Amino acid sequence: LAQNQKKNESNLPNFKKKLGNLEFVHITKTAGSAIERAAAKVGVHWGVCHLETRVQMGPGCERPDWEFRKKTGRLRTKRELIRQGIGEIELWHTPPSFFYQNPYQGSDTFTVVRNPYERMISEFYCPYFGLNSDFSSLTNSALQDERNGFFRINEKGNVSQQLLNQSTVALAMLNTTTKGKRKVPETPKVLNDWILKKIEQRSKQRMPFRVVFMTAHMLPQHHYVFDENGNHTIDHVLKYEMLHQHFPILMGVYDQPILLPTNQKEFINGGEDRRNRLNMEDLSPEAIGAINTFFREDFLKLGYDMISSQT
């Protein structure tokens, strides 16, 4: 028992405060919304609460305190990254190195990363991006329009007015109710087909993470932790799999009274709490191979093991 206790203690992270103030960088499907809500409840502005009013989240989300034109110099992400295939996404989901001027400069930062297989399955259930979301069908339609030459980005890296108008319509549609909508059955075959389709779309697009509907879903996680030169851009990287153990330690270092919810339904978005939720055992060899290829750098740089795609 004593040996196990020493082993567990040796595995605890050694978080060290550097600059004092702590900021959160939100990667999709890594409990980011739960963290933002927990912070907002005690009056702390993190993530989306810097930028949008979401009163239901708590006092920390009642008054946005960042004006991004002053904070970053420009609203748009780096032009060279747009040319590489990374377009403008939600600002609270944007990796620090993608800005002309890092809005987190002068603060310590933390983020949460997740096993790429589990994160992809979580995207499948996501109410904003997943199989049964309006967003998913609208994105597919937009990608087809893009292949037909409907959308253009000019030489200055700006998005065409056509694309912005289309995004506005799509976002308005996302805010409408989906009550009564017939859902596609969430079976293993549907999951694997969805994964293969999404990865194919992202891989074959000339600009795989362009604006379209301004989303960071499926953006590989290593972009948040490292810049294009391999330099670390995040001070503290927590793993989703150990979040409930390590998050309180980090909050203790920064004297933050922020507590993660213990209720699973408050901890996640969408239907991931279902008893019949699909998991890694439901992934086909083809889906595993696609995930291995698309998220290769996440496995290599973030310390997750690949599963063999061989049958």
Side-chain angles (χ1 to χ4, degrees), residues 263-266 268-277:
N263 185 321
Q264 183 70 357
K265 288 187 177 181
E266 294 182 25
I268 59 175
N269 283 329
E272 293 190 67
D273 59 332
R274 301 172 190 167
R275 291 181 180 179
N276 60 344
R277 180 188 184 275

Side-chain angles (χ1 to χ4, degrees), residues 78-87 98 205-210 223 227-228:
K78 289 183 179 179
R79 192 173 302 158
E80 60 268 28
L81 287 169
I82 292 176
R83 291 192 181 126
Q84 290 174 20
I86 311 294
F98 282 16
Q205 273 182 270
R206 180 174 59 86
M207 306 188 76
F209 296 109
R210 200 157 44 140
H223 287 301
D227 65 16
E228 56 267 36

Side-chain angles (χ1 to χ4, degrees), residues 273-291:
D273 59 332
R274 301 172 190 167
R275 291 181 180 179
N276 60 344
R277 180 188 184 275
L278 300 173
N279 55 51
M280 287 170 54
E281 294 181 358
D282 295 300
L283 295 175
S284 67
E286 294 78 14
I288 290 172
I291 292 171

